[in-house]
Amino acid sequence: MVSSYRWVIVACGALMTCVAIGAMFSLAVFLQPMSAATGWSRTGISSAMTLDFLVMGAAGFGWGALSDRIGPRAVVLAGAVLLGLGLVLASGATSLFQFQLTYGLLVGLAVGAFFAPMIAAATDWFTDNRSLAVSLVSAGMGVAPMTISPFARWLISAYDWRTAMMVIGMLAWALLIPAGLLVRRAHAAKAAPAAPQAAAVEPAMSAMQAFRSPQFIVLALTFFLCCAAHSGPIFHMVSYAIGCGIAPLAAVSIYSLEGLSGLGGRLLLGLLADRFGAKPVLITGLMVQAVAIACYLFVSRLGEFYVLSLVFGTAYGGTMPLYAVLARESFGQRAMGTVFGAMTMASAIGMAFGPWAGGRIFDAFNSYMWLYLGASMVALGAVAVACAFSTRPQGRRLQVA
């Protein structure tokens, strides 16, 4: 019974990441109808998303630390309440500044409450199949563009943007609060048993010990570089494809295929990591990502874009959950929420940097060539840093958890 309940934790985590990330990223669907209905600039509306990324990253660190102290259930329940509240309040915003505060601050704060705490909870429940479990929790992010965004588009077409945003907020309450009540900590006596050899070397480091270790610095820097490398090419993909002569609707389908491939990549690389180890699979995925980004400079036909997007999406989507697995193996469960929350903050800064840098590059050169070339170099930097990673802290006696 206990062994099977860990999959309930995975299902709850996948649902939470799907609804939370889907609600936040649905702003892209709201952008045009909101601008037309209110007269607010698209730049002003879009700035709420930039604020979301920054707040989400900082909040993820705080929520992760809190989940280590009081458990994940209270944290995700607080996030569920805040997410619905942020969306409902944003739907009634009467000024752009009010919208930016409610959507950019409250939604970003809420979304940060799900990823790091639920990833930490999943690593606590699993000793075998840990990479797969973390990948499945993360897979909710890949499902989000195929569920929440189309639902938002249908609501906007049937009613208006305010009604649509309010309904999504109420749906977040209806789905996430019951799911949050199902979340609980794994107890050492009840969790699936680990092999005796693994238990003997299980680390149990405090957050400060982890932060001072070279393993944390290497993982956080790799996570930052990985996200900084792929966020710009992802965000500007549609514009780049249109500039290459691809029809706008077909260009959007390239973006959608990347997202779908990312979902498959999470599952594929999770299974491979359980079999071959997380580090070699991460390094391979990062290398494929670097090559794929550079190859975009040499494609111009729709079929070529589709093939490359399949490879690129699989690589960047599949690598994302592996950082949590390596963190768990290196630092143990004691401060997993805090440690992975800090790593998530580093990745969020990288995600926020890529789209901004891509826009600046295009404005300066009227071309995306330097974006893709530079992003590929950053991705290679991630490969080099990841190669320096060693799972176990050197020169430190590891304690038994």
Side-chain angles (χ1 to χ4, degrees), residues 315-335:
Y316 81 71
T319 57
M320 298 298 282
L322 301 183
Y323 299 99
V325 177
L326 291 172
R328 177 62 172 79
E329 292 175 355
S330 296
F331 312 121
Q333 191 64 35
R334 177 179 169 187

Side-chain angles (χ1 to χ4, degrees), residues 9 72 116-126 183-184 186 333 336:
I9 301 299
M118 288 309 300
I119 289 289
T123 63
D124 195 17
W125 276 89
F126 284 80
V183 175
R184 66 188 192 207
Q333 191 64 35
M336 180 62 185

Side-chain angles (χ1 to χ4, degrees), residues 13-38:
L15 175 64
M16 290 172 181
T17 56
C18 174
V19 174
I21 294 296
M24 189 176 88
F25 277 80
S26 67
L27 184 60
V29 177
F30 284 95
L31 183 59
Q32 188 277 332
M34 283 182 62
S35 181
T38 63

Side-chain angles (χ1 to χ4, degrees), residues 59-76 78-79 113 117 185 337-339 341:
F61 175 53
W63 287 121
L66 190 60
S67 72
D68 286 333
R69 182 177 295 272
I70 66 174
R73 177 187 292 176
V75 169
V76 297
R185 278 176 162 165
T338 308
V339 171

Side-chain angles (χ1 to χ4, degrees), residues 203 205 210 213-223 277-283 286 322-332 339 343 381-394:
M205 300 177 69
S213 71
Q215 282 71 25
F216 175 80
I217 296 172
V218 169
L219 273 181
L221 181 57
T222 304
F223 209 176
K279 179 184 175 180
V281 174
L282 174 64
I283 292 173
L286 290 173
L322 301 183
Y323 299 99
V325 177
L326 291 172
R328 177 62 172 79
E329 292 175 355
S330 296
F331 312 121
V339 171
M343 290 171 56
V383 174
V385 175
C387 287
F389 177 78
S390 60
T391 304
R392 301 298 181 192
Q394 301 298 316

Side-chain angles (χ1 to χ4, degrees), residues 60-121:
F61 175 53
W63 287 121
L66 190 60
S67 72
D68 286 333
R69 182 177 295 272
I70 66 174
R73 177 187 292 176
V75 169
V76 297
L77 284 173
V81 172
L82 286 174
L83 180 60
L85 181 63
L87 292 168
V88 170
L89 291 178
S91 71
T94 56
S95 69
L96 178 58
F97 180 68
Q98 184 182 355
F99 176 79
Q100 289 169 336
L101 285 180
T102 52
Y103 200 96
L105 288 180
L106 279 182
V107 172
L109 179 64
V111 173
F114 299 105
F115 188 59
M118 288 309 300
I119 289 289

